[in-house]
Structure formats: C-alpha cells, structure tokens
Amino acid sequence: MSDDERKEMQELMRPSETLDFTQDGAAILMTDDMERLRTFYTDGRKVKKSKDADNQEFDASWNEHRLVSVFKGPDGNKIERTFEVLEGNQQLRETIHFTTGRNQREVYLRYVYDLKSGASPAGNPVSK
C-alpha cells in the first residue's frame, strides 16, 4: 500500500473523537474533530473520488433509518460505512464493514458516539 492508501485505511480504523452532522437537501455533511469534511449524497448522483483527503464525497442511500455508503477502499475491495441513531436518540453507531487479505477475511468495526451534552437530537447541526 502507498502512504496515501495506508492513511485512508487508518482513518477508518481510528475513530474520530467527535462527529458533527448537518443536512443540506440530499447532502449529509459530516465534520470530525480533525476538521475533515465528508459529504454523503443521497440523491443518486455519482461522485468522483477526491484527491483531497480532508474533503471527500460519497454516494449514499437511506436504508430505513440508516445512512449507508458503499465505496472502494485503497485495495479495490468494497467498504460499507453505515450510520444509525440508536434507540433513545442519544447515541450514534458507525459500522464499517470490509474484507481484507488474500483470504478475504471480513472485518466489522463499530464505533458508538454519545450525543453532545446540550445538543438537541432533532436540531441542526447535531454533534455525536
């Protein structure tokens, strides 16, 4: 793997401390504690991979109450990244699923974020 590919995989395997979400029409914008912007488009548009590691765009869709994005990782394998608000609207769970290695071993990473104190679960923006 190149350094850029390794950095991309490390981002998925090292969770952010905080995630802030806002919605602008069909675009769900996520900013993390390292000021990286991730935009998830839910209107079916096809986006191209950005060369800017701090500003990435992804195709996404709603699967019931989950925001789901499927994209190719640096090794060409499929990565599925899912966000869902858990019961009680006080936590957000991020699940990352991918395969790795020659034997295509499946890996699931799950991160849970608590609602930021003082934030409204129905308000924009929401911090998790």
Side-chain angles (χ1 to χ4, degrees):
M1 265 190 203
S2 72
D3 287 342
D4 288 340
E5 292 170 335
R6 192 171 288 110
K7 182 179 178 185
E8 185 177 336
M9 285 307 290
Q10 284 177 348
E11 175 190 341
L12 295 173
M13 298 177 84
R14 291 186 186 154
S16 300
E17 291 291 319
T18 62
L19 299 175
D20 292 316
F21 287 85
T22 56
Q23 183 170 1
D24 183 12
I28 310 296
L29 296 96
M30 179 183 82
T31 307
D32 66 12
D33 55 316
M34 294 172 50
E35 300 300 318
R36 296 180 296 205
L37 175 64
R38 304 292 179 250
T39 305
F40 299 92
Y41 291 102
T42 61
D43 58 0
R45 77 179 75 182
K46 296 297 177 196
V47 296
K48 295 189 179 188
K49 187 167 177 84
S50 172
K51 300 217 185 275
D52 182 357
D54 292 331
N55 187 1
Q56 296 283 316
E57 296 180 335
F58 299 93
D59 300 323
S61 61
W62 290 104
N63 181 349
E64 296 181 11
H65 58 279
R66 294 177 195 92
L67 178 65
V68 180
S69 179
V70 179
F71 54 96
K72 288 191 185 250
D75 58 0
N77 289 330
K78 179 178 88 167
I79 297 175
E80 180 178 275
R81 192 172 188 179
T82 304
F83 299 92
E84 65 182 306
V85 175
L86 299 177
E87 188 175 324
N89 292 332
Q90 298 300 306
Q91 292 182 321
L92 175 84
R93 178 172 53 210
E94 175 183 15
T95 303
I96 300 168
H97 172 238
F98 60 93
T99 56
T100 187
R102 291 182 186 179
N103 62 357
Q104 295 296 292
R105 187 183 79 206
E106 288 193 65
V107 177
Y108 287 88
L109 304 172
R110 288 204 170 113
Y111 307 115
V112 177
Y113 297 88
D114 292 327
L115 182 67
K116 190 170 153 181
S117 61
S120 167
N124 276 336
V126 175
S127 296
K128 303 278 186 191

